[in-house]
């Protein structure tokens, strides 16, 4: 029997209630598919606590702590102090997901930026990489990240973080790569109408690619439209990236898994 390529799902909201009825089965199915490690990103303090709890219940599960831009309306020094405290947990591998979201109107832009900058500075202080959410805020996100990345500690050089579920133009990809970021690709890379996204992915160096589900959202083809998205579907994403780079799935799995280990120190 051929060994399955080993993969890492670097972004799955496994704590969400979409998984409550089948979490054990989903984690086992992921492992059976070769997805042996999963990172659960927080979107607020509660989800950070939930993610940390899951890291204690299952092997191969890691977590992050941070406040998503859409959850920043009540962000203050107390929230930042809580993030700092939770970041001390040994299964925390990043600060995130943080960033800017101009698609939804759930928090003022100034509030989002203030929370984003505060969490970036905390990540630098704690020497943790960041997981970046960017929706219709490309230039503002990159301006803040470029400024932040200019004086990173040695431990974060070349591993500043990841722009997750990347969907921006090539110019943004180039700026992110130049600042030491990885790019994470999700289900849309497999969609028929994602020609521009595939063109970007084709140009990303192999040592800067990551694969993610962003579950329960963005289920890849051939399961598009079904929820929840599952870590066991990561091979569909990796295989699409492999075809874009003219390498085998096994080779792409090795690249993305090595990248995940390097970025998050798994």
């Amino acid at each position: 029997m051929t060994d399955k390529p080993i993969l890492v799902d670097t972004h799955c909201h496994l704590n969400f209630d979409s998984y409550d009825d089948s979490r054990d089965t989903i984690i086992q199915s992921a492992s059976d598919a070769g997805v042996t490690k999963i990172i659960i990103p927080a979107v607020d303090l509660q989800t950070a606590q939930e993610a940390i709890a899951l890291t204690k219940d299952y092997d191969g599960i890691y977590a992050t702590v941070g406040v998503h831009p859409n959850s920043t309306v009540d962000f203050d020094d107390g929230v930042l102090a809580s993030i700092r405290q939770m970041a001390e947990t040994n299964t925390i591998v990043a600060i995130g997901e943080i960033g800017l979201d101009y698609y939804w109107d759930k928090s003022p832009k100034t509030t989002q930026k203030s929370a984003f900058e505060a969490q970036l500075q905390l990540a630098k202080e704690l020497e943790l990489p960041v997981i970046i959410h960017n929706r219709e805020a490309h230039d503002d996100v990159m301006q803040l990240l470029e400024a932040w990345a200019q004086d990173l500690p040695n431990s974060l050089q070349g591993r500043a973080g990841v722009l997750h579920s990347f969907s921006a133009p090539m110019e943004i990809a180039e700026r992110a790569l130049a600042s030491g970021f990885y790019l994470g690709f999700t289900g849309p890379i497999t969609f028929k109408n994602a020609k521009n996204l595939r063109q970007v992915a084709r140009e990303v160096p192999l040592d800067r690619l990551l694969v993610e589900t962003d579950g329960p959202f963005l289920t890849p083809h051939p399961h598009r439209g079904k929820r929840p998205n599952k870590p066991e579907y990561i091979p569909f994403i990796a295989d699409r990236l492999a075809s874009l780079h003219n390498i085998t799935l096994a080779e792409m799995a090795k690249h993305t898994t090595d990248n995940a280990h390097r970025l998050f120190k798994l």
Side-chain angles (χ1 to χ4, degrees):
M1 184 175 178
T2 303
D3 292 335
K4 289 184 171 60
I6 301 302
L7 289 152
V8 179
D9 184 349
T10 58
H11 199 109
C12 180
H13 297 281
L14 202 56
N15 57 303
F16 280 15
D17 57 11
S18 303
Y19 300 108
D20 285 351
D21 295 336
S22 55
R23 193 171 285 110
D24 290 353
T25 302
I26 284 172
I27 291 174
Q28 183 59 55
S29 296
S31 180
D32 293 344
V35 183
T36 60
K37 295 178 181 177
I38 302 168
I39 295 174
I40 306 175
V43 296
D44 54 28
L45 298 183
Q46 179 180 334
T47 53
Q49 292 170 342
E50 293 169 356
I52 290 170
L54 289 176
T55 69
K56 298 175 181 177
D57 293 338
Y58 300 96
D59 293 333
I61 304 295
Y62 302 85
T64 77
V65 58
V67 177
H68 187 287
N70 290 336
S71 302
T72 56
V73 68
D74 296 318
F75 192 93
D76 58 18
D77 290 344
V79 172
L80 190 65
S82 295
I83 294 172
R84 180 190 299 274
Q85 183 178 16
M86 282 190 281
E88 295 176 358
T89 308
N90 62 5
T91 49
I92 293 293
V93 297
I95 299 297
E97 62 183 283
I98 62 176
L100 301 175
D101 190 316
Y102 295 168
Y103 178 80
W104 298 106
D105 187 24
K106 296 186 177 183
S107 179
K109 290 181 181 180
T110 54
T111 303
Q112 289 188 42
K113 287 181 180 180
S114 177
F116 187 21
E117 289 180 296
Q119 292 179 96
L120 285 173
Q121 289 308 121
L122 180 62
K124 183 180 292 185
E125 179 184 335
L126 299 179
E127 300 187 21
L128 285 170
V130 290
I131 293 178
I132 302 300
H133 174 98
N134 165 29
R135 192 166 187 188
E136 297 190 5
H138 305 326
D139 197 52
D140 283 358
V141 164
M142 285 314 308
Q143 285 186 19
L144 290 172
L145 291 181
E146 286 165 340
W148 173 76
Q150 285 180 357
D151 60 345
L152 291 177
N154 289 336
S155 63
L156 290 179
Q157 293 293 331
R159 52 179 292 269
V162 54
L163 271 67
H164 111 87
S165 194
F166 192 82
S167 61
M170 190 65 216
E171 176 203 353
I172 301 300
E174 291 170 346
R175 290 171 67 181
L177 293 167
S179 292
F181 285 87
Y182 293 69
L183 303 185
F185 289 91
T186 48
I189 197 73
T190 69
F191 297 171
K192 288 183 179 179
N193 62 349
K195 180 180 178 181
N196 291 340
L197 181 60
R198 283 191 286 274
Q199 183 58 46
V200 172
R202 187 179 285 114
E203 300 299 323
V204 178
L206 289 170
D207 62 355
R208 295 295 189 90
L209 288 167
L210 295 174
V211 286
E212 355 169 316
T213 53
D214 198 17
F217 317 108
L218 301 178
T219 308
H221 176 81
H223 302 286
R224 183 179 183 180
K226 298 178 181 178
R227 282 197 187 180
N229 193 358
K230 303 173 184 179
E232 67 190 79
Y233 298 156
I234 280 287
F236 293 116
I237 299 167
D239 190 53
R240 197 68 182 91
L241 287 173
S243 69
L244 294 173
H245 283 264
N246 296 311
I247 61 176
T248 66
L249 171 58
E251 289 170 324
M252 181 56 71
K254 185 178 190 316
H255 283 295
T256 58
T257 297
D258 287 350
N259 294 344
H261 279 252
R262 185 167 57 251
L263 174 57
F264 297 112
K265 291 192 172 181
L266 302 182

